[in-house]
Amino acid sequence: MKIRLINPNTTVRMTEVMGACARAVAAPGTQIDAVSPRDGPPSIEGWYDESLALPGLLAEIAAGERDACDAYVIACFGDPGLYAARECARGPVIGIAEAAMHAASVIAPSFAVVTTLARTCGMAWHLAERYGMKRFCKNVRATDIAVLDLDQPGSDARRLIIDECRRALDEDGAEAIVLGCAGMVDLCHAIEDAIGAPVVEGVTAAVKWAEALVSLKLATAKRGEYAAPLRKPYDGALAPWSPSGGGR
Amino acid sequence: MKIRLINPNTTVRMTEVMGACARAVAAPGTQIDAVSPRDGPPSIEGWYDESLALPGLLAEIAAGERDACDAYVIACFGDPGLYAARECARGPVIGIAEAAMHAASVIAPSFAVVTTLARTCGMAWHLAERYGMKRFCKNVRATDIAVLDLDQPGSDARRLIIDECRRALDEDGAEAIVLGCAGMVDLCHAIEDAIGAPVVEGVTAAVKWAEALVSLKLATAKRGEYAAPLRKPYDGALAPWSPSGGGR
Amino acid sequence: MKIRLINPNTTVRMTEVMGACARAVAAPGTQIDAVSPRDGPPSIEGWYDESLALPGLLAEIAAGERDACDAYVIACFGDPGLYAARECARGPVIGIAEAAMHAASVIAPSFAVVTTLARTCGMAWHLAERYGMKRFCKNVRATDIAVLDLDQPGSDARRLIIDECRRALDEDGAEAIVLGCAGMVDLCHAIEDAIGAPVVEGVTAAVKWAEALVSLKLATAKRGEYAAPLRKPYDGALAPWSPSGGGR
Amino acid sequence: MKIRLINPNTTVRMTEVMGACARAVAAPGTQIDAVSPRDGPPSIEGWYDESLALPGLLAEIAAGERDACDAYVIACFGDPGLYAARECARGPVIGIAEAAMHAASVIAPSFAVVTTLARTCGMAWHLAERYGMKRFCKNVRATDIAVLDLDQPGSDARRLIIDECRRALDEDGAEAIVLGCAGMVDLCHAIEDAIGAPVVEGVTAAVKWAEALVSLKLATAKRGEYAAPLRKPYDGALAPWSPSGGGR
Amino acid sequence: MKIRLINPNTTVRMTEVMGACARAVAAPGTQIDAVSPRDGPPSIEGWYDESLALPGLLAEIAAGERDACDAYVIACFGDPGLYAARECARGPVIGIAEAAMHAASVIAPSFAVVTTLARTCGMAWHLAERYGMKRFCKNVRATDIAVLDLDQPGSDARRLIIDECRRALDEDGAEAIVLGCAGMVDLCHAIEDAIGAPVVEGVTAAVKWAEALVSLKLATAKRGEYAAPLRKPYDGALAPWSPSGGGR
Amino acid sequence: MKIRLINPNTTVRMTEVMGACARAVAAPGTQIDAVSPRDGPPSIEGWYDESLALPGLLAEIAAGERDACDAYVIACFGDPGLYAARECARGPVIGIAEAAMHAASVIAPSFAVVTTLARTCGMAWHLAERYGMKRFCKNVRATDIAVLDLDQPGSDARRLIIDECRRALDEDGAEAIVLGCAGMVDLCHAIEDAIGAPVVEGVTAAVKWAEALVSLKLATAKRGEYAAPLRKPYDGALAPWSPSGGGR
């Protein structure tokens, strides 16, 4: 099966790390296409960044449909464009926050999200509510590391994240951690070893969720809200995004 | 005061009707700038349309900030880009679904939303939840009229909407109606006369909410989630949208 | 238009300050009638006080109907008698907690209420739930200043309120403040200047909400729960309150 | 022990029936004082009626405190003045809706309320939420019988109520019925026999709840929200209601 | 009337203390049968213990039905087997957490649960939600005393519980305490005296709730979810538990 | 990896069908051990049946731990004993209702559960709430087919289920179906073909969820609520179930 892993920001080095981590957990027959748009924000750290990532992200979904991808992973913890992508795709589309929260809710009575900037905590709470996972989420904690500093040696990111995870266990009573940024994908096992509690990372979780759904032959429901976008010509610079209609 | 009324779709005849209706309720000193983007979908009838309306919408907010607008109304019932717009604007930004639901909750114990296509009902429910208005919302009902058919004589739109409103009162027990599409702005009073119950229309409600907030000298909170987008260069075709940073 | 602003306690000096602040934000054509009952509690600091304020408050609504008032503001943060008043009034009736919470939810992702006595915090939480605003309300904080001490120089009220507002921002993560007592109406801008975050005050917010609703020609829904009280003779000392029935 | 059963309307024949039904279920040592105010509405069929019943109701609580009553039952399904009464009373104060919903939630997975006028259904839903019982409440159904017609032979009340109860079982899937008006107190067993499912009546349920709490030596918590009303002189005609302060 | 009080663990000395405390609050005509199973866990401190207590508990319900018991109290704060017991019993079945939370919600605006081991806090939160009591529950606090140490002199249980109750009042703002373990039954009044706020104990509360329901002639609803278990032969060692079917 | 699939009822022919369906979706390296207890109910159709299935189910978990199973699937739609099993297991334990609801919430905006007997609908709603999936669940519908009749030719089960699924799509507006009984495992694709909307079956979904979690090296959190049962000797016939304590 072919799973398209879309990093909705333009930072290719993040895309490559995500792709490698995804391949490390994928089943033998699974092909992971890790892609990112050329146009848009290099990191997503708020609602405005997220909004401007959507044209690039949705173009990748459209390309994936042409390439007969079986499923999609949206690899940014805000799960941007998830419902729009589901309108466009035949196969399942999974957000990394969604998959990580589901997984955490199965292995632990509750979890805390540890993320980057404080300004994005509200987005994580919003997603937890949307997915029905608010009841499992004890807290959303920020480390105040910028997304693109996560892999910079000087940022001391690993230590700061581990410290925040420990506070989540001790002060919030969480029993597991959900990492709140796709850029933390390669830190997961090191953090788990350090804190002695399960750490769920969304990119890898979503890849396995996608594989599961494809194996079950489950596709996106096309009645109602996730029906294909209605055929209509878009104006101006966005004309290339015009939906070709329900048939495909 | 200067209020920018942004129709996020590209259909100028809708923008003009909205502008006229807004001016009819505005206070003497209020200037209404009714605008719509050149680029993007001609109507918003799903998540995909909504996503592709965001670049145009947010460019209008940016232009509004340069023009020292005091407040903004987002004139599409999905309230697209509301949080991104709040990051960008100093003054208040109000969505028409938000204002209409607030107003309806003050004048009636409950309301029903009557909208266009069934595929958008889920979006209205989502907004009702987001704004805390779900407890007042007895139902969201679709007429299955396409947005751009609302003002076409052959569409029989007024009669279909009135019929659906009556069902909302009789079958759902709603005591008031919220019109679920900005394209219904000029039908409000005719519907109210026909059904004998309050009908709340969002474009006009949001204009008055905006005026109220500006009169109260209330601006968007800039701590936390609605802080200005972080300064960073966007890539490729979206470079013009690059945020210039927290200062302005 | 004529808006009756009802202070449901009997303390005329509070009524006068509220009236002045209301007039300062009202639109040119708006007449503010600031009134308070002769009979009842001089301040409302609990459920018992609130209950005994209702006969006086509802008599003012009845008088307002005879005087053809267009809308009513109930100017006590517990929003006493709101639903009973809506049964009696043709035009909109707005509570100050309701208007303030709506306004705060538009300009900020969340707010905290800062009020007078701790014993009234539960009432504020109850209202937040009733209006669907609990999701925006991070905390309700008491200063333990008695209502009638708010304008006494020795009470140090302004400083105590400012300190509590700062704690709400820092400890609760609120991005805006809602003032939890009508007696704080004239402190709003001083507090906002001191804390550097939006401060929403209910008396003024409700006056603007009332103006907005009247401009939109929205009146109270008379189907169902807010229908006029049924005609029936009340007994004894309350006979003057007997409803004259659905017609008026 | 002495339980004061307060019918908050002025219709003495209802008070007497309630008293008789209460005595029929009371334990041997329990004295039931069934009282009703002289001043106020003869029936409570909306928020306005309820508001004007409060002075009379609270005077009865005050009298009960002077008479050393051990507990109070508020015998109107809107549970008017419940929190104000708790401020005034040392012993427990129970509303009949509260007791009936608690009891129904213990003996059945869900219930439906069958009440009098449709305009009061919203009040019942509000109470169900307040008491945490909304999750058990499948529906609130009106028979549109006026309260004072319940015991009029021509009203056909018993048959109408039984029909509505059957619909609640069949259409709503409720497994038990809560009678939504104190005026139905003497119909309980006849309805239960007719429909073959448990029927919970609030006056009798509340008397037993009150007895239980008194036997357990549980009194109203006097920290926080239910502390005695603060001592202050009320103005004008309401001066006799002035609270004498926290001590008693 | 005959109430069977079932301690679902096998520790007879706990059963005897519960029985004595129950008799101390029971009405003159009430017979309390305090029983505990021979087979199963000696204390219930988690989901596994609770699961293995069910065969013994349900055998006691079956025996109670043969003995014509009028009602049942399940005397462990996790209310194990409550719904299964209701399927088996004609009369009411009450859990001690359920009764205690109901009682606390009547006498106080909110409560905190003070229990034994931290690992059981999640169970108490789950019950609070199930019964609709989460809105009243400010916190669930553990003392980390093992159940069977509660009555051991060296455990210092009383002091530890009192300290935790005080923290609940001071830090959580609770106005009443619910004791979170049947093994605390005899400490209730001493704790109440020490902390000066109401303390609700579930065994005694449930006995009074049961008496109340029986006096009201209310039995378990036998439509739907609580209908008698379907007749079927169980296999192997559990054959003696085979339900004999809906009739009895 | 080795996944133990536990049918908690004793009907071996159901266990075998489940095992076959599970193997059909499992990844190449996955070994499925489909087991069922010798002792207990032959089908689970209510709370009592479920309670008596627990000793057998938990014995299978214990055996699985001795056999070094990597994960467990509890294959009955009530997800019996889920939390107790998590206390006992090192690896993940997944309920089929849990996995099916998660999967349905990813591929569709909402779903309906179609199950066997009406008396079990409440259990399904309870699980939907517990897992945060209530917001996605539009209805739970019963076919009133007994569990053991599902595979009996005369039961007409397939047609009855398909009819009920169609009503769920048409009347409830659900966009996907969740099959509410493990005994429907082999009907999934036939139903999907018949109704033209996604049909999620829990046994297969849970097997894929289990595989995913094991691949991600995620195990059950052992802090707090899911810590191993405390070491203690159980009495009588249940002595063999005595927990050996936290270490293993």
Side-chain angles (χ1 to χ4, degrees):
Chain A
M1 87 182 66
K2 185 154 62 173
I3 295 176
R4 183 148 297 190
L5 172 67
I6 307 174
N7 169 17
N9 75 37
T10 60
T11 300
V12 173
R13 72 173 196 272
M14 277 182 66
T15 315
E16 287 170 356
V17 175
M18 288 180 207
C21 291
R23 280 174 210 110
V25 298
T30 302
Q31 174 188 330
I32 301 288
D33 289 354
V35 300
S36 44
R38 257 170 333 190
D39 303 326
S43 62
I44 298 182
E45 297 170 315
W47 294 103
Y48 182 84
D49 286 345
E50 187 173 302
S51 299
L52 276 314
L54 296 180
L57 166 72
L58 294 169
E60 293 294 341
I61 300 278
E65 288 297 286
R66 289 191 299 271
D67 296 351
C69 287
D70 294 293
Y72 301 87
V73 169
I74 298 182
C76 167
F77 200 79
D79 293 355
L82 185 62
Y83 308 111
R86 284 181 183 157
E87 288 182 357
C88 299
R90 281 160 298 195
V93 184
I94 303 103
I96 66 170
E98 185 181 36
M101 290 182 190
H102 280 181
S105 79
V106 171
I107 58 161
S110 78
F111 60 80
V113 176
V114 173
T115 186
T116 54
L117 302 186
R119 66 179 295 154
T120 66
C121 289
M123 301 170 77
W125 276 116
H126 171 56
L127 294 178
E129 179 178 63
R130 261 295 222 167
Y131 303 145
M133 295 289 122
K134 201 170 179 178
R135 57 192 297 118
F136 300 104
C137 184
K138 286 248 176 94
N139 206 357
V140 178
R141 289 178 163 270
T143 54
D144 273 317
I145 307 166
V147 169
L148 298 183
D149 288 349
L150 280 170
D151 61 355
Q152 301 305 304
S155 75
D156 206 13
R158 183 184 301 203
R159 191 186 56 77
L160 290 169
I161 296 168
I162 288 171
D163 286 353
E164 203 65 34
C165 290
R166 285 187 176 131
R167 277 191 283 274
L169 300 178
D170 294 342
E171 297 173 20
D172 305 331
E175 290 94 349
I177 300 294
V178 166
L179 295 181
C181 178
M184 299 174 179
V185 62
D186 54 342
L187 302 176
C188 179
H189 295 298
I191 297 168
E192 188 164 297
D193 290 346
I195 67 169
V199 176
V200 184
E201 191 284 314
V203 176
T204 46
V207 164
K208 298 306 290 182
W209 250 227
E211 278 185 347
L213 293 167
V214 174
S215 296
L216 295 166
K217 301 194 197 312
L218 288 170
T220 296
K222 286 294 165 184
R223 291 169 64 96
E225 196 173 337
Y226 297 160
L230 294 172
R231 179 185 186 87
K232 65 181 75 164
Y234 285 5
D235 286 297
L238 287 160
W241 276 263
S242 302
S244 59
R248 52 183 66 233
Chain B
M1 91 184 59
K2 186 154 62 173
I3 296 176
R4 183 148 297 191
L5 172 67
I6 307 174
N7 169 17
N9 75 37
T10 60
T11 301
V12 173
R13 73 173 196 271
M14 277 183 64
T15 315
E16 287 171 356
V17 174
M18 288 180 206
C21 291
R23 281 175 209 109
V25 298
T30 301
Q31 175 188 329
I32 302 288
D33 290 355
V35 300
S36 45
R38 258 171 329 192
D39 303 327
S43 62
I44 299 182
E45 298 170 314
W47 295 103
Y48 183 83
D49 287 344
E50 187 173 302
S51 300
L52 275 315
L54 295 180
L57 166 72
L58 293 169
E60 293 295 341
I61 300 277
E65 288 296 285
R66 291 191 298 271
D67 296 350
C69 288
D70 294 294
Y72 301 86
V73 169
I74 297 183
C76 167
F77 200 79
D79 294 356
L82 185 62
Y83 308 110
R86 284 182 182 156
E87 287 182 359
C88 299
R90 281 159 298 195
V93 184
I94 302 104
I96 67 169
E98 185 181 36
M101 291 182 189
H102 280 180
S105 79
V106 170
I107 58 160
S110 77
F111 60 80
V113 175
V114 173
T115 186
T116 53
L117 302 186
R119 66 181 294 154
T120 66
C121 290
M123 301 170 78
W125 277 117
H126 171 55
L127 293 179
E129 178 178 64
R130 261 294 222 168
Y131 303 145
M133 295 289 122
K134 202 170 179 179
R135 56 193 297 118
F136 300 103
C137 184
K138 285 245 176 96
N139 206 356
V140 177
R141 287 176 164 272
T143 54
D144 272 317
I145 308 165
V147 170
L148 297 183
D149 288 348
L150 280 170
D151 61 355
Q152 301 304 305
S155 74
D156 205 13
R158 183 184 302 203
R159 191 185 58 77
L160 289 169
I161 296 169
I162 288 171
D163 286 354
E164 203 66 33
C165 290
R166 286 190 176 127
R167 277 191 282 274
L169 300 179
D170 294 343
E171 296 173 20
D172 305 331
E175 291 94 350
I177 300 293
V178 166
L179 295 181
C181 178
M184 299 175 181
V185 62
D186 54 344
L187 302 176
C188 179
H189 294 299
I191 297 168
E192 187 163 297
D193 290 346
I195 66 169
V199 176
V200 184
E201 190 285 313
V203 177
T204 46
V207 164
K208 298 306 292 182
W209 249 227
E211 278 185 347
L213 294 167
V214 174
S215 296
L216 294 166
K217 301 193 196 313
L218 287 170
T220 295
K222 286 295 165 184
R223 290 168 64 96
E225 196 173 338
Y226 296 160
L230 295 172
R231 179 186 188 85
K232 65 181 74 162
Y234 285 6
D235 287 298
L238 287 160
W241 276 263
S242 302
S244 59
R248 50 184 68 231
Chain C
M1 89 184 60
K2 186 154 63 173
I3 295 176
R4 183 148 296 190
L5 172 68
I6 307 174
N7 170 17
N9 74 39
T10 60
T11 301
V12 174
R13 73 173 198 270
M14 278 182 65
T15 315
E16 287 170 355
V17 174
M18 288 180 204
C21 292
R23 281 175 208 109
V25 299
T30 301
Q31 174 188 331
I32 303 288
D33 289 354
V35 299
S36 45
R38 258 171 331 192
D39 303 327
S43 62
I44 298 181
E45 298 170 314
W47 294 104
Y48 183 83
D49 286 345
E50 188 174 301
S51 300
L52 275 313
L54 295 181
L57 166 72
L58 293 169
E60 292 294 341
I61 300 279
E65 288 297 284
R66 289 191 300 271
D67 296 350
C69 287
D70 294 294
Y72 301 86
V73 169
I74 297 182
C76 167
F77 201 79
D79 293 357
L82 186 62
Y83 308 110
R86 284 181 183 157
E87 288 182 357
C88 299
R90 280 158 299 194
V93 184
I94 303 102
I96 66 170
E98 186 181 36
M101 290 182 189
H102 280 181
S105 79
V106 171
I107 59 162
S110 78
F111 60 80
V113 176
V114 173
T115 187
T116 53
L117 301 187
R119 65 181 295 154
T120 66
C121 289
M123 300 170 79
W125 276 117
H126 171 56
L127 294 178
E129 179 179 63
R130 261 294 223 168
Y131 303 145
M133 295 290 122
K134 201 169 178 180
R135 57 192 297 119
F136 300 104
C137 184
K138 285 247 177 95
N139 206 357
V140 178
R141 287 177 165 271
T143 54
D144 272 318
I145 308 166
V147 170
L148 298 183
D149 287 348
L150 280 170
D151 61 354
Q152 301 304 305
S155 75
D156 206 13
R158 183 184 301 203
R159 191 185 58 75
L160 290 170
I161 296 169
I162 288 171
D163 286 354
E164 203 66 34
C165 290
R166 286 191 176 125
R167 277 192 283 273
L169 301 178
D170 294 344
E171 297 173 20
D172 305 331
E175 291 94 349
I177 299 294
V178 166
L179 295 181
C181 178
M184 300 175 180
V185 62
D186 54 343
L187 302 175
C188 179
H189 295 299
I191 297 169
E192 186 164 298
D193 290 347
I195 67 170
V199 177
V200 185
E201 190 284 315
V203 176
T204 46
V207 164
K208 299 306 293 181
W209 249 229
E211 278 184 347
L213 293 167
V214 174
S215 296
L216 295 166
K217 302 193 196 313
L218 287 170
T220 295
K222 287 294 165 185
R223 290 170 64 96
E225 196 173 337
Y226 297 160
L230 295 173
R231 179 187 188 85
K232 65 181 73 162
Y234 284 6
D235 287 297
L238 287 159
W241 276 263
S242 302
S244 58
R248 52 184 67 234
Chain D
M1 90 183 62
K2 187 156 60 174
I3 296 177
R4 183 149 296 191
L5 171 68
I6 307 175
N7 170 17
N9 75 37
T10 60
T11 300
V12 173
R13 72 173 196 271
M14 280 182 65
T15 315
E16 287 171 356
V17 174
M18 288 180 204
C21 292
R23 280 175 209 110
V25 299
T30 301
Q31 174 188 332
I32 301 288
D33 290 354
V35 300
S36 45
R38 258 170 332 191
D39 303 326
S43 62
I44 298 182
E45 298 171 314
W47 294 102
Y48 183 82
D49 286 345
E50 187 173 303
S51 300
L52 275 314
L54 296 180
L57 167 72
L58 294 169
E60 293 294 341
I61 300 279
E65 288 297 286
R66 288 191 300 270
D67 296 349
C69 287
D70 294 293
Y72 301 86
V73 169
I74 298 182
C76 167
F77 201 79
D79 293 356
L82 186 62
Y83 308 111
R86 285 181 182 156
E87 288 181 359
C88 300
R90 281 159 298 194
V93 184
I94 302 104
I96 66 169
E98 185 180 37
M101 291 182 188
H102 280 180
S105 79
V106 171
I107 58 161
S110 76
F111 60 80
V113 176
V114 173
T115 186
T116 54
L117 301 186
R119 65 180 296 155
T120 65
C121 289
M123 300 169 78
W125 277 117
H126 170 55
L127 293 179
E129 179 178 63
R130 262 294 222 166
Y131 303 144
M133 296 289 121
K134 201 170 179 179
R135 57 193 295 119
F136 300 103
C137 184
K138 285 244 176 97
N139 205 358
V140 178
R141 287 177 165 269
T143 53
D144 271 318
I145 307 166
V147 169
L148 297 183
D149 288 348
L150 280 170
D151 60 354
Q152 301 303 305
S155 74
D156 207 12
R158 184 185 300 202
R159 191 185 58 76
L160 291 169
I161 295 168
I162 287 171
D163 286 354
E164 204 64 35
C165 290
R166 286 191 176 126
R167 278 192 282 275
L169 301 178
D170 294 343
E171 297 173 19
D172 305 332
E175 290 93 350
I177 299 294
V178 167
L179 295 181
C181 178
M184 300 174 179
V185 63
D186 54 343
L187 303 175
C188 179
H189 295 299
I191 298 168
E192 188 163 297
D193 289 347
I195 67 170
V199 176
V200 185
E201 190 284 316
V203 176
T204 45
V207 164
K208 298 306 291 183
W209 249 227
E211 278 183 348
L213 294 167
V214 173
S215 297
L216 296 165
K217 302 193 196 313
L218 287 169
T220 296
K222 287 294 165 184
R223 291 170 63 96
E225 196 173 339
Y226 296 159
L230 295 172
R231 179 186 188 86
K232 66 180 74 162
Y234 284 8
D235 287 297
L238 287 158
W241 276 262
S242 303
S244 58
R248 52 184 66 232
Chain E
M1 92 183 61
K2 185 155 63 174
I3 296 176
R4 183 149 297 190
L5 171 68
I6 307 174
N7 169 17
N9 74 38
T10 59
T11 301
V12 173
R13 71 174 196 270
M14 279 183 65
T15 315
E16 287 171 356
V17 174
M18 289 180 204
C21 291
R23 281 175 208 110
V25 298
T30 301
Q31 173 188 331
I32 303 287
D33 289 355
V35 299
S36 44
R38 257 170 332 191
D39 302 326
S43 62
I44 299 182
E45 298 170 314
W47 294 102
Y48 183 83
D49 286 345
E50 187 174 302
S51 300
L52 275 313
L54 296 181
L57 167 71
L58 294 169
E60 293 293 342
I61 300 279
E65 287 297 286
R66 289 192 299 271
D67 296 350
C69 288
D70 293 293
Y72 301 86
V73 169
I74 297 182
C76 167
F77 201 80
D79 292 356
L82 186 62
Y83 307 111
R86 284 181 182 156
E87 289 182 357
C88 300
R90 281 160 297 193
V93 184
I94 303 104
I96 66 169
E98 186 180 38
M101 291 182 188
H102 280 181
S105 79
V106 171
I107 58 160
S110 76
F111 60 80
V113 176
V114 173
T115 186
T116 53
L117 301 187
R119 66 180 294 154
T120 66
C121 289
M123 301 171 78
W125 276 116
H126 171 55
L127 293 179
E129 178 178 64
R130 261 292 222 169
Y131 302 145
M133 295 290 122
K134 202 169 177 179
R135 56 193 296 119
F136 300 103
C137 183
K138 286 248 176 93
N139 206 357
V140 177
R141 287 177 164 271
T143 53
D144 272 317
I145 307 167
V147 169
L148 297 183
D149 287 349
L150 280 171
D151 61 355
Q152 301 304 305
S155 75
D156 206 13
R158 183 183 302 202
R159 191 186 58 75
L160 290 169
I161 296 168
I162 288 172
D163 286 354
E164 204 65 35
C165 290
R166 286 190 175 127
R167 278 192 283 274
L169 301 178
D170 294 343
E171 297 173 20
D172 305 331
E175 292 94 349
I177 299 295
V178 166
L179 295 181
C181 178
M184 299 174 179
V185 62
D186 54 343
L187 302 175
C188 179
H189 295 299
I191 298 168
E192 188 164 297
D193 289 347
I195 67 170
V199 176
V200 184
E201 190 283 316
V203 176
T204 46
V207 164
K208 298 306 290 183
W209 250 227
E211 278 184 348
L213 293 167
V214 174
S215 296
L216 295 165
K217 302 194 195 310
L218 288 169
T220 296
K222 286 294 163 184
R223 291 169 63 96
E225 196 173 338
Y226 297 159
L230 294 172
R231 179 185 187 87
K232 66 182 73 163
Y234 285 7
D235 287 298
L238 288 158
W241 277 263
S242 303
S244 58
R248 53 184 64 234
Chain F
M1 92 184 60
K2 185 156 60 174
I3 296 176
R4 182 148 297 191
L5 172 68
I6 307 173
N7 170 17
N9 74 38
T10 59
T11 301
V12 173
R13 72 175 197 270
M14 279 183 65
T15 315
E16 286 170 357
V17 175
M18 290 180 204
C21 292
R23 281 175 208 109
V25 299
T30 301
Q31 174 189 332
I32 303 288
D33 289 354
V35 300
S36 43
R38 258 171 330 191
D39 302 326
S43 62
I44 298 181
E45 298 170 313
W47 294 103
Y48 183 83
D49 286 345
E50 188 173 302
S51 299
L52 276 313
L54 297 180
L57 167 72
L58 294 169
E60 293 294 341
I61 300 279
E65 288 297 285
R66 288 191 300 269
D67 295 350
C69 288
D70 294 293
Y72 301 86
V73 169
I74 297 181
C76 167
F77 201 79
D79 293 357
L82 186 62
Y83 308 111
R86 284 181 182 156
E87 288 182 358
C88 299
R90 281 158 299 195
V93 184
I94 303 103
I96 67 170
E98 185 180 39
M101 291 182 189
H102 280 180
S105 79
V106 171
I107 58 161
S110 76
F111 60 81
V113 176
V114 174
T115 187
T116 53
L117 302 186
R119 65 181 295 155
T120 66
C121 289
M123 300 170 79
W125 277 117
H126 171 56
L127 293 179
E129 178 178 65
R130 261 293 223 168
Y131 303 145
M133 295 289 122
K134 201 169 178 179
R135 56 192 298 120
F136 299 104
C137 184
K138 285 246 177 95
N139 205 357
V140 178
R141 286 176 165 271
T143 53
D144 272 317
I145 307 165
V147 169
L148 297 184
D149 287 347
L150 280 170
D151 61 355
Q152 301 304 306
S155 74
D156 205 13
R158 183 183 301 202
R159 191 185 58 76
L160 290 169
I161 296 169
I162 288 171
D163 286 354
E164 204 65 35
C165 290
R166 286 190 176 128
R167 279 192 281 274
L169 300 178
D170 294 343
E171 297 173 20
D172 305 332
E175 291 94 351
I177 299 294
V178 166
L179 295 181
C181 179
M184 300 176 180
V185 62
D186 55 342
L187 302 176
C188 178
H189 294 298
I191 297 169
E192 187 164 297
D193 290 346
I195 67 169
V199 177
V200 184
E201 190 285 314
V203 176
T204 47
V207 164
K208 298 306 292 183
W209 249 228
E211 278 184 346
L213 293 167
V214 173
S215 296
L216 295 165
K217 301 192 196 314
L218 287 170
T220 296
K222 287 295 166 185
R223 290 170 62 96
E225 197 174 337
Y226 296 159
L230 295 173
R231 179 186 188 85
K232 66 182 73 162
Y234 285 6
D235 286 297
L238 288 159
W241 276 263
S242 303
S244 59
R248 48 184 66 235

